[in-house]
Amino acid sequence: MTAASFDFTSVLRPGLPPAAPKWSGLAKFNFTGGNNDAEQLPLDALMAAAASVLAREGRTLATYGLESGPLGYLPLRRFLVEKLKRTAGIACTAEEILVTSGSLQALDLVNGALLASGDTVLIEQESYQGSLNRLTRLGVNALGIPLDRDGMRVEAAAAALADLKRRGIHAKYIYTIPTVQNPTATILPEQRRVELLKLSQEYEVPIFEDDCYADLIWDGRRPPAIYAMSKRGGVIHIGSFSKSIAPALRVGYIVAPWEILSRILPLKTDAGSGALEQMVLGEFCARHFADHVPKLTRGLRAKVETLMEALAEQFGTAAEFEDPKGGIFLWVKLPDAVDIHKLAQAALAAGVAINPGPEWSTDKAYSRSRMRLCFASPSHEAIRQGVAVLADVCRREFGVPVRSANVEQRARA
Ligand SMILES: Cc1ncc(COP(=O)(O)O)c(C=O)c1O
């Protein structure tokens, strides 16, 4: 019998997502995804942490949940209590933190507790594809709230909530990535956080705060987390070690008052997230996290400077973007003539992978000529070469940019 001889079609559940394509490797110049800088991985310290924690506590691996219970490895949660207080102003206990398998699982768990098909949520108009896709799959109406240079426009959120109220619709949450937004890299100022909390109170709509890039700010200065500013507890906060340490570890977390965390926890039916990575992180972070992050952000800042220079050189005024204050992404606007999906396909054939804007937006027309570029994982040289190839492909397909490296170029037939 060959693997393909049994036909599963008749037994597949209706409504499944489309079949996954087989993985064909990474593009030569990969600007996609939320990958990190391999050079910046603190490998020696991670190896030392693994050796010491296993020597000391390795036998606890024989027990589901180690000896820390269902919320996750206790030393890691204790580290988070200290770190969230120091960096985000959050006062919480280890019993208000649930360690998850990446913050993607955190998104699933929070959605699982709050959302049903037909519900409505507010979300920044440009937002994380993983969040948008989940809402679509759940049959939830995602109402996009436009952003400006300071993140979500709170007056637009107010208008949307008032309109929903008139129509008798109670939104389930306001999802926001307030501190280095994905994809726009904006940071919501403290005053807007105050206003958003007022709206949350007025309309009895919780805020779902996704803070996974908050450690990656060049000058390390950030407003307090919305969670920290709430006096009423109507905020659920999620975070991740994917961006500050490494995404393949798959360690994230939820911070929430026990009243709601106790409703979320029964949905985590995997008997605990991977223990080894939690142990290694717990050991590593207590000693090295605070020193590691500024080193990482210095390296990321250097990379985004290379990317901005390369774009300016190759695209000139045809590529518009804001100098980000942190993170791993640049959100770039190309001329209106550029159909970014078409550019992405042609670029991929030439070895350059980019994320097309419409997949990161609820407004497909607005994002039609926009793209998201991750600058963390390609090397400086790959950034320079990849942008040059991208400009070439763009010129061939759409006639822009007209000038590259200050030399007038002709669109090839
Ligand atoms: C805003 C946001 N939330 C959540 C995630 C999920 O990250 P992870 O599951 O690796 O923690 C990402 C990943 O890129 C993200 O950008």
Short mmCIF file of all heavy atoms in Angstrom, two decimals, residues 4 32 49 70 73 85 120 124 142 147 160 177 195 232 240 242 251 260 297 320 328 334-335 345 349 371-372 405 411:
data_model
loop_
_atom_site.label_atom_id
_atom_site.label_comp_id
_atom_site.label_asym_id
_atom_site.label_seq_id
_atom_site.Cartn_x
_atom_site.Cartn_y
_atom_site.Cartn_z
N ALA A 4 -0.48 7.20 -0.53
CA ALA A 4 -1.54 7.98 -1.16
C ALA A 4 -2.76 7.13 -1.51
O ALA A 4 -3.71 7.61 -2.11
CB ALA A 4 -0.99 8.64 -2.41
N THR A 32 10.38 37.85 5.25
CA THR A 32 9.05 37.51 5.76
C THR A 32 9.14 36.96 7.19
O THR A 32 10.21 36.61 7.69
CB THR A 32 8.36 36.43 4.89
OG1 THR A 32 9.11 35.22 5.00
CG2 THR A 32 8.25 36.86 3.46
N ALA A 49 22.73 27.45 30.71
CA ALA A 49 21.48 27.42 31.49
C ALA A 49 20.86 26.03 31.42
O ALA A 49 20.39 25.50 32.44
CB ALA A 49 20.51 28.48 30.94
N PRO A 70 -0.27 23.53 36.67
CA PRO A 70 -0.73 23.73 35.29
C PRO A 70 -0.42 25.11 34.70
O PRO A 70 -0.58 25.31 33.50
CB PRO A 70 -2.25 23.54 35.39
CG PRO A 70 -2.59 23.84 36.81
CD PRO A 70 -1.40 23.46 37.63
N TYR A 73 6.18 26.57 34.47
CA TYR A 73 7.37 26.48 35.32
C TYR A 73 7.47 27.72 36.25
O TYR A 73 7.58 28.86 35.77
CB TYR A 73 8.59 26.39 34.41
CG TYR A 73 9.92 26.22 35.10
CD1 TYR A 73 10.14 25.19 36.01
CD2 TYR A 73 10.98 27.07 34.79
CE1 TYR A 73 11.37 25.04 36.62
CE2 TYR A 73 12.23 26.92 35.38
CZ TYR A 73 12.41 25.90 36.31
OH TYR A 73 13.63 25.75 36.90
N LYS A 85 7.00 43.99 36.00
CA LYS A 85 6.95 45.14 36.90
C LYS A 85 8.00 46.17 36.48
O LYS A 85 7.71 47.37 36.34
CB LYS A 85 7.23 44.66 38.34
CG LYS A 85 7.24 45.74 39.38
CD LYS A 85 5.82 46.13 39.75
CE LYS A 85 5.78 47.43 40.51
NZ LYS A 85 4.66 48.26 40.21
N THR A 120 -18.34 40.39 17.21
CA THR A 120 -17.60 41.51 16.63
C THR A 120 -16.48 41.92 17.59
O THR A 120 -16.69 41.94 18.81
CB THR A 120 -18.55 42.72 16.42
OG1 THR A 120 -19.54 42.33 15.46
CG2 THR A 120 -17.82 43.93 15.92
N GLU A 124 -6.77 46.96 15.32
CA GLU A 124 -6.12 47.98 14.49
C GLU A 124 -6.26 47.56 13.03
O GLU A 124 -6.10 46.39 12.69
CB GLU A 124 -4.64 48.10 14.90
CG GLU A 124 -4.47 48.88 16.20
CD GLU A 124 -3.51 48.25 17.19
OE1 GLU A 124 -2.97 47.17 16.90
OE2 GLU A 124 -3.32 48.83 18.28
N ALA A 142 -14.18 41.36 12.27
CA ALA A 142 -13.06 42.17 12.76
C ALA A 142 -13.19 43.58 12.20
O ALA A 142 -12.98 43.80 11.01
CB ALA A 142 -11.73 41.55 12.34
N LEU A 147 -5.02 53.59 11.98
CA LEU A 147 -3.90 54.04 12.82
C LEU A 147 -3.33 55.33 12.24
O LEU A 147 -3.51 55.61 11.06
CB LEU A 147 -2.77 53.00 12.81
CG LEU A 147 -3.07 51.60 13.29
CD1 LEU A 147 -2.99 50.61 12.14
CD2 LEU A 147 -2.09 51.18 14.36
N ALA A 160 -16.59 53.92 16.38
CA ALA A 160 -17.01 52.55 16.03
C ALA A 160 -17.84 51.93 17.16
O ALA A 160 -18.86 51.28 16.90
CB ALA A 160 -15.77 51.69 15.75
N ILE A 177 -2.02 45.99 19.58
CA ILE A 177 -0.57 45.73 19.76
C ILE A 177 0.01 47.12 20.01
O ILE A 177 0.51 47.78 19.10
CB ILE A 177 0.03 45.08 18.49
CG1 ILE A 177 -0.82 43.90 18.03
CG2 ILE A 177 1.49 44.64 18.76
CD1 ILE A 177 -0.48 43.40 16.62
N GLU A 195 -7.22 57.06 27.29
CA GLU A 195 -8.50 57.24 26.57
C GLU A 195 -9.10 55.89 26.18
O GLU A 195 -10.32 55.69 26.24
CB GLU A 195 -8.27 58.11 25.32
CG GLU A 195 -8.01 59.57 25.67
CD GLU A 195 -7.30 60.32 24.54
OE1 GLU A 195 -7.28 59.82 23.39
OE2 GLU A 195 -6.74 61.40 24.83
N ARG A 232 -9.53 48.59 36.79
CA ARG A 232 -10.70 47.71 36.93
C ARG A 232 -10.44 46.27 36.50
O ARG A 232 -11.32 45.43 36.58
CB ARG A 232 -11.85 48.27 36.11
CG ARG A 232 -12.32 49.63 36.57
CD ARG A 232 -13.38 50.18 35.66
NE ARG A 232 -14.58 49.37 35.61
CZ ARG A 232 -15.03 48.75 34.52
NH1 ARG A 232 -14.36 48.82 33.40
NH2 ARG A 232 -16.14 48.06 34.56
N SER A 240 5.56 37.26 24.85
CA SER A 240 6.27 36.14 24.22
C SER A 240 7.77 36.27 24.40
O SER A 240 8.28 37.38 24.54
CB SER A 240 5.95 36.17 22.72
OG SER A 240 6.67 35.17 22.03
N SER A 242 9.50 34.94 21.92
CA SER A 242 9.89 34.73 20.52
C SER A 242 10.74 35.87 19.99
O SER A 242 11.65 35.66 19.21
CB SER A 242 8.65 34.60 19.64
OG SER A 242 8.01 33.39 19.89
N VAL A 251 7.62 29.79 23.45
CA VAL A 251 7.20 30.11 24.82
C VAL A 251 6.60 31.53 24.85
O VAL A 251 7.26 32.50 24.48
CB VAL A 251 8.37 30.01 25.83
CG1 VAL A 251 7.86 30.34 27.24
CG2 VAL A 251 8.98 28.62 25.82
N ILE A 260 -10.65 35.66 35.17
CA ILE A 260 -10.74 35.27 33.75
C ILE A 260 -9.70 34.19 33.41
O ILE A 260 -9.97 33.28 32.63
CB ILE A 260 -10.66 36.51 32.81
CG1 ILE A 260 -10.81 36.10 31.35
CG2 ILE A 260 -9.42 37.33 33.00
CD1 ILE A 260 -12.15 35.56 30.97
N THR A 297 18.78 44.78 20.71
CA THR A 297 18.16 45.93 20.05
C THR A 297 19.21 46.78 19.32
O THR A 297 18.91 47.34 18.27
CB THR A 297 17.37 46.80 21.05
OG1 THR A 297 18.20 47.12 22.15
CG2 THR A 297 16.13 46.10 21.54
N GLU A 320 8.05 54.66 0.68
CA GLU A 320 7.78 55.56 1.81
C GLU A 320 7.65 54.74 3.09
O GLU A 320 6.99 53.70 3.09
CB GLU A 320 6.47 56.32 1.59
CG GLU A 320 6.49 57.24 0.40
CD GLU A 320 5.09 57.74 0.07
OE1 GLU A 320 4.36 58.10 1.00
OE2 GLU A 320 4.75 57.72 -1.12
N ILE A 328 11.06 44.64 14.60
CA ILE A 328 11.79 43.89 13.58
C ILE A 328 11.20 44.09 12.18
O ILE A 328 11.61 43.41 11.24
CB ILE A 328 11.82 42.37 13.92
CG1 ILE A 328 10.40 41.81 14.11
CG2 ILE A 328 12.66 42.10 15.16
CD1 ILE A 328 10.37 40.29 14.33
N LEU A 334 4.65 51.52 -1.44
CA LEU A 334 5.20 51.70 -2.78
C LEU A 334 4.18 52.50 -3.61
O LEU A 334 3.04 52.70 -3.16
CB LEU A 334 5.48 50.34 -3.42
CG LEU A 334 6.62 49.53 -2.74
CD1 LEU A 334 6.82 48.19 -3.40
CD2 LEU A 334 7.93 50.34 -2.74
N PRO A 335 4.54 52.97 -4.80
CA PRO A 335 3.58 53.76 -5.59
C PRO A 335 2.28 52.98 -5.86
O PRO A 335 2.28 51.74 -5.93
CB PRO A 335 4.33 54.02 -6.89
CG PRO A 335 5.78 53.96 -6.50
CD PRO A 335 5.87 52.91 -5.44
N GLN A 345 4.85 37.76 -5.81
CA GLN A 345 5.04 36.51 -6.59
C GLN A 345 6.27 36.59 -7.48
O GLN A 345 7.09 35.68 -7.53
CB GLN A 345 3.82 36.26 -7.46
CG GLN A 345 2.73 35.52 -6.72
CD GLN A 345 1.44 35.47 -7.52
OE1 GLN A 345 1.43 35.73 -8.72
NE2 GLN A 345 0.36 35.15 -6.83
N ALA A 349 10.00 34.49 -7.21
CA ALA A 349 10.65 33.76 -8.31
C ALA A 349 12.11 34.19 -8.46
O ALA A 349 12.95 33.43 -8.92
CB ALA A 349 9.87 33.99 -9.61
N MET A 371 3.88 46.79 1.84
CA MET A 371 4.51 45.50 2.19
C MET A 371 5.15 45.61 3.56
O MET A 371 5.48 46.70 4.03
CB MET A 371 5.57 45.09 1.15
CG MET A 371 6.72 46.06 1.06
SD MET A 371 7.93 45.54 -0.17
CE MET A 371 8.94 47.02 -0.31
N ARG A 372 5.31 44.44 4.19
CA ARG A 372 6.01 44.40 5.47
C ARG A 372 7.33 43.68 5.25
O ARG A 372 7.37 42.60 4.66
CB ARG A 372 5.17 43.63 6.49
CG ARG A 372 5.67 43.80 7.92
CD ARG A 372 5.03 42.80 8.86
NE ARG A 372 5.53 41.45 8.62
CZ ARG A 372 5.37 40.43 9.47
NH1 ARG A 372 4.69 40.62 10.60
NH2 ARG A 372 5.86 39.24 9.20
N ALA A 405 20.07 53.55 -7.15
CA ALA A 405 21.47 53.89 -6.89
C ALA A 405 21.83 55.16 -7.67
O ALA A 405 22.91 55.28 -8.23
CB ALA A 405 22.39 52.73 -7.27
N ALA A 411 12.65 50.54 -17.65
CA ALA A 411 11.88 49.32 -17.42
C ALA A 411 12.13 48.39 -18.59
O ALA A 411 12.08 48.81 -19.74
CB ALA A 411 10.41 49.65 -17.32
#
